[in-house]
C-alpha cells in the first residue's frame, strides 16, 4: 500500500519505519525542512533504539519529504501523527490536526483513508469527518479511522512490532476501512479491537490514565509505607501475584512525566469537566504526581542542617531511561527546584540535554565522574542501567559528602550502607 505519514515525530517515525518494514511504500512528511533534510541524510532526530537501523534497512521504500501538500494529494492512505499539545487550561490543541485535514480537503479528488494516530480527545474524529463534509467533500470519497498508538518511548519499535492489540475506530456504516487497516498491519500478530471513532479515542485516554493511576497510587502507598517502616517492594511483590493487579507500573519514585501521561490525564479531565463531570480520581492522580518532587526535596532537607548552598549531583535528566526526551521530566523539575532553593546543581545524563541553559548554578557535565566530584549529595533521578551498576567505592572517593538519594528506588541500599554512605529511598526498610 502507499501510505503518507504526516508528522516526523517519534510516533510518525516509528510508524513510518515499521510500516515500511512490513513492505509498504511510505512517505513521511513534515513541514520542518531541517528535520526532513537530516532524515534524508540518514540522521534521525530522536534517540529511539533500533529506529535508525530500521530506516536505513528500508530506504528503498521509505522516503521523507517537506512537500506536504504534494505528497498528501498523491497518496491514498494518510496517517496523521502530528502533535496534539496542551493549551494552558489543559484542553488539547488541535491546530495541527485541523491544518492537515484542511490540506486533505483542498487536494482530495479520489478515495482516501484518513487514519488518526495522534492522541485526540473524544469526539475529535467525528469532528474531522464533519469538517470534511462541511468543506464539500462527498462522504463516499473518504473514510476517517481512529487508530491510536500505545508506544512507549525507548521501546517504540518493539511495541509496534509486538502490539498487544490494534484498536480501530470507524463510523458505523464504514465497509471499506477494515480490510484496508488489515492490509496495513498484515504481518503483525495482534487482535483487532473494533469500536466507534470516539470509542478508540477513549481507549487510548483510559489506558494512559489507568497506568498513571497505578503510578500515583503506588507512590501514595509508598509514602504511607515509609512512615510505618514497611518495604514497598515487599508490598508490590505481595500484591502483584494477583493477576487482577499485575506487577507492572508499580515502581515508586519521582512520579510520571513524558509527553503523554501528564498531557493526556489533563486532557481527559478537561473532557470530563466540559460535560459537567468532576473527575475526582483523575484530579487526585495529578495532585499526587505534582507533589512527588517536593516530597523528595523534603526528605533531602531533613538529611542536611541547611540544604541551600550544598552541591548536589543529579544523575538523570530524561523523563525515563533509554530516551533523550526531557518533556515534563520529573528530573528536570527537581533540578530546577533545587537550583531555586540555592543549591549548586551538577547533572549528567547518558543521552538527554537540559532543556534550559544560562542558569549559573546548574551545570551539565559530559561524564558522570565530573558530575559527582566534590558533591555533598547524589540524587538518582532517572533509572538508567548505568546508574544501577555504579562503582560506589570509586564514587565515594570523588564525593565531598556522603548522602545518596535514590529517587527511583532502583539501587541496592546495602551496597551504599556498606561503604558508610547515607542512603535515602522511600519505604525501603
Ligand atoms: C506512555 C505509554 O506507556 C504508552 O503506551 C503511550 O502510548 C505513551 O505514553 P511513555 O510516555 O513513553 O509511554 O512512557 P512510560 O514508559 O509509560 O512511562 C511514563 C512515565 O511513568 C515515566 O516518567 C516513568 O518514569 C513513569 N513510571 C512508569 C513510573 O514512575 N513508575 C512505573 O512503574 C512506570
Amino acid at each position: 500500500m502507499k501510505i503518507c505519514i504526516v508528522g516526523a515525530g517519534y510516533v510518525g517515525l516509528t510508524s513510518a519505519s515499521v510500516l515500511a518494514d512490513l513492505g509498504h511504500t511510505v512517505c513521511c512528511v513534515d513541514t520542518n525542512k531541517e528535520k526532513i533534510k537530516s532524515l534524508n541524510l540518514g540522521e534521525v532526530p530522536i534517540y529511539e533504539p533500533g529506529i535508525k537501523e530500521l530506516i536505513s534497512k528500508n530506504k528503498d521504500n521509505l522516503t521523507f519529504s517537506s512537500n506536504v501538500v504534494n505528497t498528501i494529494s498523491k497518496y491514498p492512505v494518510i496517517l496523521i501523527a502530528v502533535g496534539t499539545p496542551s493549551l494552558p487550561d489543559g484542553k488539547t490543541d488541535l491546530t495541527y490536526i485541523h491544518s492537515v485535514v484542511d490540506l486533505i480537503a483542498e487536494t482530495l479528488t479520489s478515495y482516501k483513508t484518513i487514519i488518526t494516530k495522534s492522541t485526540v480527545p473524544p469526539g475529535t474524529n467525528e469532528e474531522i469527518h464533519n469538517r470534511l463534509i462541511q468543506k464539500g467533500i462527498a462522504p463516499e470519497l473518504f473514510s476517517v479511522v481512529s487508530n491510536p498508538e500505545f508506544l512507549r518511548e525507548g521501546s517504540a519499535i518493539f511495541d509496534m512490532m509486538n502490539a498487544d492489540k490494534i484498536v480501530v475506530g470507524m463510523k458505523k456504516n464504514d465497509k471499506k476501512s477494515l480490510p484496508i487497516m488489515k492490509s496495513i498491519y498484515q504481518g503483525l500478530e495482534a487482535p483487532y479491537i473494533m469500536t466507534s471513532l470516539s470509542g478508540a479515542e477513549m481507549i487510548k485516554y483510559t489506558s494512559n490514565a489507568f497506568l498513571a493511576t497505578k503510578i500515583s497510587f503506588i507512590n501514595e502507598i509508598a509514602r504511607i509505607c515509609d512512615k510505618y517502616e514497611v518495604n514497598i517492594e515487599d508490598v508490590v511483590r505481595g500484591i502483584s501475584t494477583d493477576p487482577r493487579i499485575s506487577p507492572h507500573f508499580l515502581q515508586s519514585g519521582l512520579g510520571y512525566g513524558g509527553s503523554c501521561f501528564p498531557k493526556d490525564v489533563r486532557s481527559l479531565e478537561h473532557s470530563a469537566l466540559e460535560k459537567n463531570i468532576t473527575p475526582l480520581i483523575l484530579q487526585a492522580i495529578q495532585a499526587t504526581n505534582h507533589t512527588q518532587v517536593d516530597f523528595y526535596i523534603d526528605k533531602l532537607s531533613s538529611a542536611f542542617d541547611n540544604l541551600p548552598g550544598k552541591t548536589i549531583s543529579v544523575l538523570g535528566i530524561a523523563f525515563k531511561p533509554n530516551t533523550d526526551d526531557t518533556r515534563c521530566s520529573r528530573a528536570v523539575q527537581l533540578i530546577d527546584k533545587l537550583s531555586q532553593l540555592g543549591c549548586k546543581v551538577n547533572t549528567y545524563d547518558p543521552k538527554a540535554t537540559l532543556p534550559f541553559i544560562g542558569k549559573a548554578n546548574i551545570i551539565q557535565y559530559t561524564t558522570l565522574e565530573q558530575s559527582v566530584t566534590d558533591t555533598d549529595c547524589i540524587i538518582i533521578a532517572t533509572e538508567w542501567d548505568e546508574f544501577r551498576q555504579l562503582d560506589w567505592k570509586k564514587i565515594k572517593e570523588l564525593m565531598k559528602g556522603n548522602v545518596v538519594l535514590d529517587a527511583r528506588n532502583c539501587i541496592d541500599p546495602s551496597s551504599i550502607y556498606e561503604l558508610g554512605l547515607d542512603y535515602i529511598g522511600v519505604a525501603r526498610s
Side-chain angles (χ1 to χ4, degrees), residues 216-240:
S216 276
F217 178 78
I218 209 65
N219 281 334
E220 187 166 292
I221 295 293
R223 291 191 198 194
I224 303 170
C225 288
D226 202 43
K227 291 285 179 211
Y228 285 92
E229 296 184 8
V230 172
N231 189 314
I232 184 66
E233 277 136 64
D234 290 350
V235 174
V236 170
R237 251 184 326 118
I239 61 171
S240 59

Side-chain angles (χ1 to χ4, degrees), residues 149 151-153 204 215 249-251 257 260 319-320:
E149 52 78 24
L151 314 172
R152 290 164 301 172
E153 288 188 34
K204 168 72 191 204
I215 298 168
F249 275 69
L250 293 173
Q251 176 63 48
C260 295
F319 84 94
K320 67 170 193 179

